[in-house]
Amino acid sequence: MNLFTETNLSPDILKAIGELGYESPTEIQKQTIPFILSDIRDLIALAQTGTGKTAAFSLPILDMIDDTSRKIQLLVLCPTRELCLQISKDIKNYSKYMDIKTTAVYGGSSIVEQMRSLKEKPQIIVGTPGRVIDLINRKALDFSAIHWLVLDEADEMLSMGFKDELETILSETPETKQTFLFSATMNKEVERISKNYLTKPHRISVGSINEVKKNITHEYYVVGYRQKKEALKRLIDANPNQYSIIFCRTRMETQEVADFLMQNGYAADALHGDLSQAQRDTVMKKFRLKNIDILVATDVAARGLDVNSLTHVIHFSLPDDPEVFVHRSGRTGRAGKDGISMALIKPEESRKLKQIKSATKIEINERFIPTGDQIIKAQVGGVFEKLFTEHEDLFEFDDSLIPDLSNFTKEELVHQLLQFQLKDLALYYKDKHDLAEQKLSSRDDDYSRRDRGRDRDRDRGRDRDRDRGRDRDRGGKPRRKDENMVRFFFNLGKKDHLKKLDVLDIINKATAGGKTKKRAEIGDIEILEKFSFFEVEKSFKDNVLSNIQSMKFKGKDMRAEVAN
Ligand code: AMP
C-alpha cells in the first residue's frame, strides 16, 4: 500500500509520485505535508539535502495551488543553478498530471530566453536570488499573487553573500504570503533573517545531528601539517576503486590538493567557487560519469552535486561546525550502501575532534596511516575486486590470442601480472618511511605557527624534489618552463654551506609582507658549488631583487639577479 494516501494529497499528485516510486513519506514529509496543508504559520525546517525536502514543501503546495489562475503563486529561492534545475525538475515531475507551469530562472544563462519563458505565465518560479532581482528590475516578474515563498538552503544563500538580494525579494513579495525557510544549519545570519522576515514560525528539525547514518564507518588519522598530502595519497592508495569526495576548507586548499593528486596521476579534479560556471559544470559531469573518481571540493561547491554511490568521504580539513561534518559524511552511505568517512586531524585539532564527537554522538575511531606493505596488499585486493565485479566493459576474448603459457604455473602467472600492474606503486613505497610510526607526540600540540610555515615550505621543496625524481624516471625530460616564475642567479653556493632550507628561508623573508600578504610561490632551487639558482613567482620579482641585497647569510652579503 502506498502510505502517501494517508496524507490526503490529490489523486493527480499521488499518481505522479507513485510513478516515481515514492511509497511512503520521508521523515520531513511526514511533518511538513500536514502542517502546510492545514496551518497558515511560517515554517523553519532544519533539514539537509537528501531528506526529501523538495517534495516536503512542493507536494502540499501543489495540492493547494490554483491552477485556473495564471499568476505566480509559489516562489522558491535557492543558492545555485544546479539546485534550481533540480528543484524545478522535481516539481515538474510532481505536477505532471496538473495544469501547472514551472519556470527556473538562474544566472549564467540567457535572461532573454528566461523572460520569454515567463511570458507563458508560470504559476511557480524557482530561481537564484541574483537572477530574480535582475528580472524584478526588468519588470518581468509579477509577485502580487504570491502565496508561498520558500527559501531553500537559506544558510548557503547567506554564506554566498545573497543577504541583500534575499531581503529585497522578501520585502517585494506580499505580506500575506506564507514563508518556509529550509536550512541545513542554523547560524546567526539565518536566525536574523528568520527573526526579521518570518512571523512566529513553527520549527521542525530532521535528519541532522541526532540522525546520523548508522551505515557509515568513521575513522580519523592524526598527521602533522607537513604530512597531510602524503597521508592523503596513502589513504587513497590503501582504498582502491574508490569514488570519493575530499572536502577542504578553502578554495586555495581545494585547488592545491587537487593539483597534488593530478600531478601524482590520480583521476581527480577540483570543484570550488573560483571556477566559472562552465568549468564547474564540466567537473561535475566528469565526476558523475566517473571519468574522474576523486573530487576535491569545498562544502559550498559540493552542495550542487547529486551523486548517490560515493564509497568514501575524506575530510582533508575538519570543518568548524559539527553539523557540517555530519552533512559531509552523509554524502556517502546512501541508497542502503555502506560508506566510509575518513578525517585527517592535525595534532593540535584534538579538541575540535572531541567537540565534533560529543556534538554529533558519532563514534569516530583512530586508525593509523597504512604502511607501504598494507597499501600493496590492499591494492592486490583491489585488482581482484575489479576483476570479479566489473563485467560491463569486458569483451569476448578469443583464447587463441593467448600465447602458450604452459611453462608457468597459475601462481606464477598471477604473481607476474600483479607485479606488472602494481610495479609503480611498489617502487614508490619501497623506501618510504612509515607515517604511522611518526605519529606526533604531545610536543606537537605546541607546534607553532612559525614551525607550520616552515614545514609548509619544506613540504613544497620535498614535493618538488619528488617531482624531479619522477621526471628523471620519465627519461630525464626537462620540466616545462613555468611562465609565472622568474629564475634568479644567487651569489652563494655549497662552499658557503648554503642548503635548500636556507634558500627557502631567505626567499620567504625577502618576499614577506608583500602587498597581498600572499606567500610567494617558490619553484626550482639549484645549489651549485659557488652560486645557485632559484625560481620565484613573477609578481615577487622586485621584492627579491631589492630585499635580498640588504640581507646577510652567515655574515656574507647576498646578491640576486634575474638569470637569463
Ligand atoms: P531532496 O532532499 O529533495 O533533494 O530529495 C532527495 C531524493 O529523495 C530525491 O532524489 C527525491 O526524488 C527522493 N525522494 C523524495 N521523497 C521521497 C520519498 N517519499 N520516497 C522515495 N524517494 C523520495
Side-chain angles (χ1 to χ4, degrees):
M1 190 181 96
N2 188 321
L3 294 172
F4 270 104
T5 42
E6 288 168 24
T7 56
N8 284 332
L9 292 168
S10 74
D12 285 343
I13 297 175
L14 292 179
K15 188 169 166 201
I17 60 174
E19 284 174 14
L20 292 171
Y22 295 10
E23 288 177 354
S24 55
T26 64
E27 191 49 44
I28 188 164
Q29 291 161 7
K30 276 186 204 154
Q31 299 196 43
T32 54
I33 295 174
F35 174 81
I36 297 176
L37 285 175
S38 63
D39 213 302
I40 54 161
R41 278 178 295 165
D42 290 342
L43 173 75
I44 296 180
L46 278 187
Q48 293 156 2
T49 301
T51 50
K53 63 190 161 82
T54 311
F57 64 78
S58 57
L59 297 182
I61 292 177
L62 284 172
D63 191 85
M64 294 186 287
I65 209 163
D66 178 1
D67 61 2
T68 61
S69 155
R70 304 300 306 182
K71 287 195 149 186
I72 301 169
Q73 295 165 59
L74 165 64
L75 170 64
V76 183
L77 294 173
C78 59
T80 62
R81 171 185 123 121
E82 289 77 26
L83 203 57
C84 207
L85 288 166
Q86 182 66 43
I87 295 171
S88 65
K89 191 177 109 211
D90 285 347
I91 296 181
K92 281 177 191 166
N93 281 334
Y94 304 148
S95 57
K96 189 173 162 192
Y97 297 107
M98 302 172 68
D99 189 16
I100 294 288
K101 187 171 162 48
T102 302
T103 298
V105 294
Y106 44 83
S109 193
S110 158
I111 195 163
V112 178
E113 200 62 41
Q114 289 173 4
M115 285 167 71
R116 198 168 299 142
S117 182
L118 291 175
K119 293 227 165 74
E120 291 171 32
K121 303 265 174 221
Q123 294 103 329
I124 300 176
I125 300 286
V126 184
T128 50
R131 181 51 60 98
V132 169
I133 294 278
D134 286 348
L135 290 164
I136 292 177
N137 291 338
R138 290 179 187 227
K139 311 235 174 314
L141 289 170
D142 170 14
F143 283 162
S144 62
I146 285 208
H147 257 72
W148 304 277
L149 174 63
V150 175
L151 304 172
D152 195 17
E153 304 216 345
D155 51 348
E156 218 34 67
M157 288 197 280
L158 290 167
S159 77
M160 286 169 77
F162 284 134
K163 182 172 144 275
D164 293 346
E165 284 86 346
L166 288 187
E167 295 195 344
T168 308
I169 298 167
L170 279 158
S171 51
E172 288 273 335
T173 41
E175 273 190 22
T176 49
K177 68 183 179 289
Q178 200 176 2
T179 305
F180 307 136
L181 182 150
F182 287 81
S183 187
T185 53
M186 186 44 94
N187 55 35
K188 271 198 203 124
E189 275 296 286
V190 180
E191 276 294 353
R192 207 189 58 77
I193 282 272
S194 40
K195 219 164 152 189
N196 292 347
Y197 293 95
L198 272 63
T199 324
K200 293 194 181 142
H202 173 62
R203 287 174 186 255
I204 59 175
S205 167
V206 293
S208 71
I209 273 180
N210 298 323
E211 292 196 28
V212 171
K213 291 194 208 158
K214 299 279 185 294
N215 56 335
I216 300 174
T217 310
H218 291 268
E219 304 171 349
Y220 75 90
Y221 297 82
V222 182
V223 275
Y225 181 89
R226 62 194 146 151
Q227 293 166 327
K228 263 185 140 181
K229 286 197 205 122
E230 176 64 22
L232 174 69
K233 176 175 162 46
R234 289 182 188 216
L235 288 183
I236 295 173
D237 287 345
N239 291 275
N241 312 331
Q242 64 174 276
Y243 182 49
S244 57
I245 300 187
I246 299 172
F247 285 99
C248 294
R249 280 174 79 94
T250 63
R251 294 166 181 194
M252 206 164 96
E253 184 178 73
T254 306
Q255 193 61 54
E256 260 178 43
V257 171
D259 286 347
F260 166 79
L261 293 177
M262 287 188 270
Q263 280 157 15
N264 279 276
Y266 297 93
D269 214 332
L271 187 70
H272 55 71
D274 280 347
L275 304 176
S276 68
Q277 183 64 52
Q279 286 171 314
R280 268 184 281 161
D281 285 348
T282 309
V283 174
M284 287 200 253
K285 190 164 169 200
K286 279 200 289 183
F287 191 57
R288 264 190 228 108
L289 294 174
K290 301 200 177 173
N291 292 339
I292 53 170
D293 40 37
I294 300 173
L295 184 73
V296 190
T298 55
D299 291 299
V300 174
R303 288 231 178 160
L305 186 74
D306 188 24
V307 281
N308 281 325
S309 47
L310 293 183
T311 56
H312 294 73
V313 160
I314 303 180
H315 310 262
F316 185 78
S317 291
L318 277 184
D320 291 326
D321 183 347
E323 284 211 42
V324 174
F325 183 87
V326 179
H327 192 230
R328 283 178 174 186
S329 308
R331 304 295 303 242
T332 182
R334 285 195 176 172
K337 293 192 183 131
D338 290 336
I340 299 178
S341 147
M342 304 192 283
L344 291 174
I345 314 277
K346 287 185 283 177
E348 67 269 28
E349 283 179 321
S350 55
R351 254 248 319 285
K352 202 167 179 185
L353 179 71
K354 254 190 216 146
Q355 275 168 3
I356 292 180
K357 279 190 191 174
S358 76
T360 60
K361 308 274 181 292
I362 296 179
E363 194 182 318
I364 315 176
N365 293 313
E366 177 163 18
R367 297 269 184 278
F368 300 105
I369 299 291
T371 61
D373 282 351
Q374 288 168 331
I375 289 169
I376 303 295
K377 195 169 164 200
Q379 286 280 334
V380 171
V383 170
F384 282 103
E385 182 187 291
K386 234 180 169 164
L387 270 181
F388 293 108
T389 53
E390 277 196 11
H391 301 296
E392 279 168 24
D393 303 329
L394 298 185
F395 63 101
E396 277 304 315
F397 200 78
D398 184 350
D399 283 350
S400 67
L401 295 172
I402 306 176
D404 179 16
L405 299 169
S406 53
N407 284 341
F408 302 96
T409 65
K410 258 189 236 157
E411 286 73 21
E412 279 169 343
L413 283 173
V414 171
H415 186 88
Q416 282 301 110
L417 279 172
L418 285 173
Q419 270 209 333
F420 179 74
Q421 176 84 14
L422 302 175
K423 187 182 74 193
D424 287 348
L425 203 82
L427 266 178
Y428 179 84
Y429 285 113
K430 190 163 160 272
D431 299 317
K432 284 274 181 304
H433 54 251
D434 179 0
L435 285 190
E437 258 173 28
Q438 303 200 337
K439 208 179 139 255
L440 293 135
S441 63
S442 54
R443 187 182 58 80
D444 287 286
D445 286 333
D446 303 320
Y447 192 50
S448 71
R449 274 189 101 100
R450 222 177 97 249
D451 289 339
R452 280 205 293 279
R454 191 156 359 100
D455 287 343
R456 196 157 42 221
D457 298 332
R458 219 176 290 165
D459 239 6
R460 282 179 181 168
R462 192 174 306 137
D463 286 347
R464 247 170 244 121
D465 287 349
R466 205 169 49 228
D467 284 348
R468 263 199 295 282
R470 211 170 302 113
D471 284 346
R472 264 199 301 280
D473 293 342
R474 272 193 222 116
K477 277 193 206 132
R479 282 165 72 87
R480 196 160 47 90
K481 189 166 181 282
D482 192 337
E483 301 296 332
N484 273 329
M485 295 283 180
V486 183
R487 189 170 162 83
F488 289 92
F489 163 87
F490 185 49
N491 67 324
L492 304 178
K494 283 184 194 158
K495 70 166 179 32
D496 307 298
H497 306 287
L498 183 77
K499 301 268 171 2
K500 266 188 193 164
L501 259 184
D502 301 320
V503 180
L504 286 169
D505 248 319
I506 293 166
I507 300 171
N508 278 329
K509 281 194 189 118
T511 54
K515 269 178 264 163
T516 56
K517 295 259 185 300
K518 196 178 115 217
R519 269 179 176 276
E521 189 65 40
I522 301 172
D524 245 319
I525 297 175
E526 216 180 328
I527 301 182
L528 304 173
E529 196 52 40
K530 293 189 180 144
F531 50 80
S532 312
F533 292 98
F534 59 75
E535 289 175 349
V536 176
E537 205 181 334
K538 238 183 200 161
S539 55
F540 289 86
K541 182 176 130 193
D542 292 339
N543 304 61
V544 172
L545 288 176
S546 63
N547 294 340
I548 281 192
Q549 60 184 359
S550 59
M551 293 161 59
K552 282 194 189 306
F553 178 71
K554 297 190 175 152
K556 288 199 170 178
D557 286 328
M558 291 195 250
R559 183 168 52 83
E561 294 166 15
V562 174
N564 294 318

